[in-house]
Amino acid sequence: MSAFTAQLAAVLRLHRAALIVWTVFVAGCVGYLVWLTEVTAPALREPLAGALGLDYLEYSSPMGWVSTFMYYGFWAVAAWSAAALVGRELESGTARLAWTQGVTPVRWLATKLAAPALVLLAGGAVFVPVYRWAWSAHREMMGDDWTFADVFAARGPLVVAYALCALAVGTLTALLVRRALPASAIAVAVMIVLNRYVEKYREDYWPPTTGTPHGAPVMRVDSASYHPQSHYWPLHLVETGIILTATTLATAAAFLLLGPARRTVPARTPRQESPA
C-alpha cells in the first residue's frame, strides 16, 4: 500500500462518522425514491385511493423534498469541510504535527480533499440516475417541472459539482480563518451567495428560442424568448462548468495558502503538570 493510499484510508477512518451519515442519507434518499415510484404512485392510481383519502400530494411532495435536501446538501458539506475536515486540525495544531512527521503539507491536503471527494462522487453516481428515473416515471402526478432549481440540479452532475465546490470552499475558508466555527459559517455563507448568483443568471447560459412556446414547460427569459426543455442539457452543463471552475480555483488557492499556513499554525504541546 502506498503512503498516499494509507493516508487516504486514515482520513476515511478519522471521519467515518461523517461517511456513515452521508451513506445513510444517500441510501435513504434512493430507497425512498424507489418506494415512492414503485409503491406509493401505483397505490394512488387505484380506484379506492380517493375514497381512502389519498391524493397526489402524498407522492409529489416527498419527491420534491428529496431533491431539495440533496441539492442544498452542499450547505452541510461546506460546514463540515471547513470545521471538521480542516479547521479543527489547524486550530488544534494536529496539522502542524503531521507536517513535522514526514507528511508534506501538499500530501496532507491532497488526502484531505481526495477522500471526501471520492465519497461525494460515489453518492452522486448512485443518486442522479435513480432520481432521473423516478422523476420521469409519473410526471402527470408531479407539481414541479425541469425549471425548478432543485430539479434542474438533481437531474444531472450539477448537484455533485455543488457538493465538490462546497468541499473546496470550506477547505479554503478553513486555511484562511484557521478557526473551525467561524470558517464553517463563512463557508456556508459563501456557497449560498455563489448559488444564488449563479441561479439568478441561469437563463443567460444558452441562447434562448424566440416565439410562442407549445406543450412542455419552458424557462421564460422575457415575453418573446424562452428556453424549451431541449435546452436543459446545454444550460445544465454550462452551469456545471461554472461551478467546477469555481471548485478548481478554490482548490488551487487552498494549495497556495499551505506555505503561509505552515508558518503561522502553532504547534500544540502537551501541558506540563505542576508538582503537587
Side-chain angles (χ1 to χ4, degrees):
M1 180 182 294
S2 67
F4 182 82
T5 304
Q7 288 181 351
L8 198 65
V11 171
L12 290 173
R13 286 195 301 270
L14 180 63
H15 299 283
R16 59 184 176 273
L19 173 62
I20 292 171
V21 170
W22 172 250
T23 302
V24 170
F25 173 65
V26 174
C29 287
V30 169
Y32 197 30
L33 287 173
V34 174
W35 177 268
L36 289 169
T37 304
E38 295 295 321
V39 178
T40 303
L44 292 172
R45 296 181 184 277
E46 295 295 327
L48 295 177
L52 295 175
L54 302 177
D55 58 48
Y56 286 175
L57 286 177
E58 297 191 34
Y59 170 75
S60 62
S61 182
M63 282 284 293
W65 280 113
V66 169
S67 59
T68 299
F69 283 140
M70 182 60 71
Y71 178 37
Y72 293 108
F74 68 77
W75 294 358
V77 175
W80 174 78
S81 61
L85 184 67
V86 176
R88 187 179 301 164
E89 292 202 15
L90 292 173
E91 189 174 5
S92 65
T94 306
R96 181 63 172 258
L97 180 62
W99 299 342
T100 60
Q101 294 184 345
V103 178
T104 66
V106 170
R107 195 169 71 184
W108 173 83
L109 185 58
T111 54
K112 286 290 182 183
L113 289 173
L118 290 173
V119 173
L120 292 172
L121 286 169
V126 173
F127 173 80
V128 171
V130 174
Y131 179 75
R132 287 184 59 82
W133 161 75
W135 186 84
S136 303
H138 305 284
R139 289 304 310 146
E140 73 282 3
M141 300 172 65
M142 295 289 292
D144 58 13
D145 60 64
W146 69 275
T147 66
F148 280 44
D150 55 343
V151 174
F152 184 89
R155 292 179 65 221
L158 180 59
V159 69
V160 183
Y162 269 110
L164 293 175
C165 187
L167 174 66
V169 168
T171 300
L172 174 60
T173 306
L175 286 166
L176 285 169
V177 178
R178 301 194 296 277
R179 296 284 300 279
L181 291 181
S184 178
I186 294 171
V188 172
V190 169
M191 285 305 303
I192 291 174
V193 172
L194 175 64
N195 173 247
R196 293 295 181 266
Y197 183 83
V198 173
E199 279 187 359
K200 180 180 178 180
Y201 295 100
R202 178 172 288 164
E203 62 192 27
D204 299 327
Y205 299 151
W206 196 256
T209 297
T210 57
T212 303
H214 300 283
V218 300
M219 181 185 293
R220 282 283 185 183
V221 177
D222 53 42
S223 59
S225 58
Y226 63 95
H227 289 290
Q229 192 165 345
S230 61
H231 286 191
Y232 168 76
W233 277 114
L235 290 165
H236 185 99
L237 293 177
V238 169
E239 185 168 338
T240 300
I242 293 171
I243 297 303
L244 289 179
T245 299
T247 304
T248 302
L249 292 175
T251 302
F255 278 98
L256 288 174
L257 278 173
L258 278 177
R262 185 176 184 177
R263 290 191 294 269
T264 57
V265 174
R268 297 291 181 89
T269 56
R271 292 182 179 179
Q272 298 291 330
E273 294 186 3
S274 57

